[in-house]
Amino acid sequence: EDQVTQSPEALRLQEGESSSLNCSYTVSGLRGLFWYRQDPGKGPEFLFTLYSAGEEKEKERLKATLTKKESFLHITAPKPEDSATYLCAVRRNNAGNMLTFGGGTRLMVKP
Amino acid sequence: DAGVTQSPTHLIKTRGQHVTLRCSPISGHKSVSWYQQVLGQGPQFIFQYYEKEERGRGNFPDRFSARQFPNYSSELNVNALLLGDSALYLCASSHRGDYAYEQYFGPGTRLTVT
């Protein structure tokens, strides 16, 4: 059974204080690891898809990396508007587009 | 271009009732997936439809059913509602039926069962 565990559950940062969110996964035949951002009461917003160990993707202050067992979402010099829940999900082989999500990390950035 | 749209935005139902939720995918997308997100948790996969065929089903009871129409819009139906069905129901669309690089979510329908 696919499993995705995100840590920490919640993270409070000061504006400009860089940090990393962790996503550990167990999946048979990984066919993509996804990162989403979700604001309260809204649908998840797509950020990145990573396919193979060693791959990296960047977008503004966010950088996602992937190893064979985990993924990291690095946030450089965060701003208050980066406050949100960040979700990690995996898709396995022969499962269509089905995603298995972790519980998310709630990020709060204080000015 | 419009993103994924869902209706209604909010819904309040009583235990035992039936509910129908609707989703319109991004123009040109042929795959629709449904997810249930309970407060404080990550979304959980319910169904995927591609080209009007069921492509996948998650671990949900038979009270949950769905279908996709020729215009690729989709409905999720839930019968005999339970209090535990209270959640945010999300629809995601993608161009491909499998291994889609991107899946885009709608704003969700907030269902409250009393």
Side-chain angles (χ1 to χ4, degrees):
Chain A
E1 184 179 324
D2 304 338
Q3 285 197 321
V4 181
T5 303
Q6 291 188 245
S7 61
E9 289 187 6
L11 181 62
R12 299 175 73 162
L13 300 174
Q14 288 296 129
E15 184 173 1
E17 180 186 1
S18 301
S19 187
S20 294
L21 314 182
N22 176 264
C23 171
S24 298
Y25 65 89
T26 303
V27 61
S28 176
L30 180 71
R31 291 300 294 261
L33 184 139
F34 296 74
W35 281 98
Y36 285 86
R37 169 194 169 125
Q38 186 174 29
D39 293 304
K42 299 191 175 181
E45 174 190 346
F46 172 79
L47 293 174
F48 305 109
T49 306
L50 302 166
Y51 284 101
S52 55
E55 190 175 357
E56 299 182 351
K57 294 276 177 70
E58 286 189 67
K59 179 181 180 179
E60 296 180 0
R61 294 177 292 282
L62 302 176
K63 179 180 176 180
T65 62
L66 181 64
T67 73
K68 289 188 177 180
K69 293 183 178 181
E70 54 193 351
S71 177
F72 294 93
L73 184 66
H74 308 277
I75 304 176
T76 302
K79 299 181 177 182
E81 53 262 42
D82 294 323
S83 297
T85 294
Y86 290 86
L87 295 165
C88 169
V90 297
R91 180 178 60 206
R92 62 176 156 83
N93 207 12
N94 297 321
N97 286 332
M98 182 185 80
L99 299 180
T100 299
F101 281 86
T105 293
R106 292 191 314 280
L107 175 66
M108 192 176 341
V109 182
K110 291 198 162 188
Chain B
D1 281 343
V4 179
T5 59
Q6 293 186 243
S7 62
T9 304
H10 295 91
L11 204 52
I12 300 174
K13 290 286 190 178
T14 304
R15 276 179 300 174
Q17 287 188 317
H18 161 92
V19 69
T20 297
L21 310 181
R22 296 177 174 83
C23 170
S24 291
I26 291 170
S27 177
H29 285 194
K30 299 180 179 180
S31 174
V32 170
S33 298
W34 287 95
Y35 290 80
Q36 179 195 66
Q37 186 176 26
V38 173
L39 197 62
Q41 298 181 18
Q44 190 173 359
F45 175 77
I46 309 175
F47 286 109
Q48 182 197 350
Y49 276 78
Y50 177 69
E51 290 280 21
K52 302 178 288 294
E53 300 275 336
E54 182 181 303
R55 275 292 187 99
R57 171 187 277 262
N59 189 22
F60 280 80
D62 291 343
R63 299 185 296 107
F64 288 77
S65 64
R67 56 179 175 167
Q68 186 177 34
F69 298 99
N71 67 352
Y72 303 109
S73 67
S74 177
E75 280 184 356
L76 176 69
N77 294 283
V78 187
N79 292 323
L81 285 167
L82 303 174
L83 295 179
D85 295 331
S86 296
L88 181 67
Y89 288 84
L90 297 163
C91 171
S93 82
S94 58
H95 180 67
R96 291 179 52 162
D98 55 14
Y99 309 137
Y101 175 75
E102 297 170 348
Q103 292 190 63
Y104 296 96
F105 282 84
T109 293
R110 171 69 62 187
L111 172 66
T112 302
V113 182
T114 63

